[in-house]
Amino acid sequence: MAEQLISAFESSLDKTNVILKEIEQAYGWPKEQRNQSYAALRTVLHLLRDRMPVQESAEFAQQLPVLLRGIYFDGWQPESVPIKLNRDDFLYEVRQGFPYDVEGGPQRVVQVVLDTLRRHVNQGEWQDVKSSMPQDLSRMIP
């Protein structure tokens, strides 16, 4: 039993690291900038989570590795969602949660993270996430 738990944890850690590495590769960041890739991922995940209805948010979370699911739900207040955010509000909040200056600003951060997540979530669930967003925000979602 303990071996299965360790294996499940290692698998989740490996999948999370793959996602973080893909974000780093998109920017050309070395592994030493893992804090930046983590901050970008966490910020965008939290904003997506808070913009979606509770049921959709929970369904989306099931697609994430267990470790990322914990990060995703950290601090969640389901009674307070969905929060109304248009595209500009969303980008403003990304800038507040991601304090690094990077090429392309918050819009590029969102694009890189969403492109990465899309590769790790099944297509049907990704379309559900996209359709749960207001039109100006859904245009940012690949």
Coordinates of all heavy atoms in Angstrom, one line a residue, residues 47-53 85 90 128-139 141:
L47 N -7.1 32.0 -11.3 CA -8.0 32.9 -11.9 C -9.0 32.1 -12.8 O -10.2 32.5 -12.8 CB -7.3 33.9 -12.8 CG -6.6 35.0 -12.0 CD1 -5.6 35.8 -12.8 CD2 -7.6 35.9 -11.3
L48 N -8.6 31.1 -13.5 CA -9.6 30.2 -14.2 C -10.6 29.6 -13.2 O -11.8 29.6 -13.5 CB -8.8 29.1 -14.9 CG -8.2 29.3 -16.2 CD1 -7.5 28.1 -16.7 CD2 -9.2 29.8 -17.3
R49 N -10.0 29.1 -12.1 CA -10.9 28.4 -11.1 C -11.9 29.4 -10.6 O -13.1 29.0 -10.5 CB -10.0 28.0 -10.0 CG -10.7 27.5 -8.7 CD -9.8 27.5 -7.5 NE -9.6 28.9 -7.1 CZ -8.7 29.3 -6.2 NH1 -7.9 28.4 -5.6 NH2 -8.6 30.5 -5.8
D50 N -11.5 30.6 -10.3 CA -12.5 31.6 -9.7 C -13.4 32.2 -10.7 O -14.5 32.7 -10.3 CB -11.7 32.7 -9.0 CG -11.0 32.2 -7.8 OD1 -11.3 31.1 -7.3 OD2 -10.1 33.0 -7.3
R51 N -13.1 32.0 -12.0 CA -14.0 32.5 -13.1 C -15.1 31.5 -13.5 O -16.1 31.8 -14.0 CB -13.2 33.0 -14.3 CG -14.0 33.6 -15.4 CD -14.7 34.8 -14.9 NE -15.7 35.4 -15.8 CZ -17.0 35.0 -15.9 NH1 -17.5 34.1 -15.1 NH2 -17.8 35.6 -16.8
M52 N -14.8 30.2 -13.2 CA -15.7 29.2 -13.6 C -16.8 28.9 -12.6 O -16.5 29.0 -11.4 CB -14.9 27.9 -13.9 CG -14.1 27.9 -15.1 SD -13.4 26.3 -15.5 CE -11.9 26.3 -14.5
P53 N -17.9 28.4 -13.0 CA -18.9 27.9 -12.0 C -18.3 26.7 -11.3 O -17.4 26.0 -11.8 CB -20.1 27.4 -12.9 CG -19.9 28.1 -14.3 CD -18.4 28.3 -14.4
L85 N -15.1 38.5 -14.3 CA -13.8 39.0 -14.9 C -13.9 39.1 -16.4 O -14.2 38.1 -17.0 CB -12.6 38.2 -14.5 CG -12.2 38.1 -13.0 CD1 -11.1 37.0 -12.9 CD2 -11.8 39.4 -12.5
F90 N -9.0 40.1 -16.1 CA -8.3 38.9 -16.0 C -6.8 39.2 -16.1 O -5.9 38.7 -15.3 CB -8.7 37.9 -17.0 CG -8.2 36.5 -16.8 CD1 -9.0 35.6 -16.1 CD2 -7.0 36.0 -17.4 CE1 -8.6 34.3 -15.9 CE2 -6.6 34.7 -17.2 CZ -7.4 33.8 -16.4
D128 N -15.3 22.7 -22.6 CA -16.2 23.1 -21.5 C -15.7 24.4 -20.8 O -16.4 25.3 -20.4 CB -16.4 22.0 -20.5 CG -17.3 20.9 -21.1 OD1 -17.9 21.0 -22.2 OD2 -17.3 19.8 -20.5
V129 N -14.4 24.4 -20.5 CA -13.8 25.5 -19.8 C -13.9 26.7 -20.7 O -14.4 27.8 -20.2 CB -12.3 25.2 -19.5 CG1 -11.5 26.5 -19.1 CG2 -12.1 24.1 -18.4
K130 N -13.6 26.6 -21.9 CA -13.6 27.7 -22.8 C -15.1 28.3 -22.9 O -15.3 29.5 -22.9 CB -13.1 27.3 -24.2 CG -13.0 28.4 -25.2 CD -12.3 28.0 -26.4 CE -12.1 29.1 -27.4 NZ -11.2 28.8 -28.5
S131 N -16.0 27.4 -23.0 CA -17.4 27.8 -23.2 C -18.0 28.4 -21.9 O -19.0 29.1 -22.0 CB -18.3 26.7 -23.7 OG -18.4 25.7 -22.7
S132 N -17.3 28.2 -20.8 CA -17.8 28.8 -19.5 C -17.3 30.2 -19.3 O -17.7 30.9 -18.4 CB -17.4 27.9 -18.3 OG -16.0 28.0 -18.0
M133 N -16.5 30.7 -20.2 CA -15.9 32.0 -20.1 C -16.7 33.0 -20.9 O -17.3 32.7 -21.9 CB -14.5 32.0 -20.6 CG -13.5 31.2 -19.8 SD -13.3 31.8 -18.2 CE -12.9 30.3 -17.3
P134 N -16.7 34.3 -20.5 CA -17.3 35.3 -21.3 C -16.6 35.4 -22.7 O -15.4 35.0 -22.8 CB -17.1 36.6 -20.5 CG -16.1 36.4 -19.5 CD -16.1 34.9 -19.3
Q135 N -17.2 35.9 -23.7 CA -16.7 35.9 -25.1 C -15.3 36.5 -25.2 O -14.4 36.0 -25.8 CB -17.7 36.5 -26.0 CG -17.3 36.3 -27.5 CD -18.4 36.8 -28.4 OE1 -19.2 37.7 -28.0 NE2 -18.5 36.3 -29.6
D136 N -15.1 37.7 -24.6 CA -13.8 38.4 -24.7 C -12.7 37.6 -24.0 O -11.6 37.6 -24.5 CB -13.8 39.8 -24.2 CG -14.0 40.0 -22.7 OD1 -14.6 39.0 -22.1 OD2 -13.6 41.0 -22.2
L137 N -13.0 36.9 -23.0 CA -12.0 36.0 -22.3 C -11.8 34.7 -23.0 O -10.7 34.2 -23.1 CB -12.5 35.8 -20.9 CG -11.5 35.3 -19.9 CD1 -10.2 36.1 -19.9 CD2 -12.1 35.3 -18.5
S138 N -12.9 34.1 -23.6 CA -12.8 32.8 -24.3 C -11.9 33.0 -25.5 O -11.3 32.0 -25.9 CB -14.1 32.3 -24.6 OG -14.7 33.0 -25.6
R139 N -11.8 34.1 -26.1 CA -10.9 34.3 -27.3 C -9.5 34.2 -26.9 O -8.6 33.9 -27.8 CB -11.2 35.7 -27.9 CG -12.4 35.7 -28.7 CD -12.5 37.1 -29.5 NE -13.9 37.5 -29.1 CZ -14.2 38.8 -28.7 NH1 -13.2 39.7 -28.7 NH2 -15.4 39.1 -28.4
I141 N -8.4 31.8 -24.9 CA -8.2 30.4 -24.6 C -8.1 29.6 -25.9 O -8.9 29.7 -26.8 CB -9.4 29.8 -23.8 CG1 -9.5 30.6 -22.5 CG2 -9.2 28.4 -23.5 CD1 -10.6 30.3 -21.6

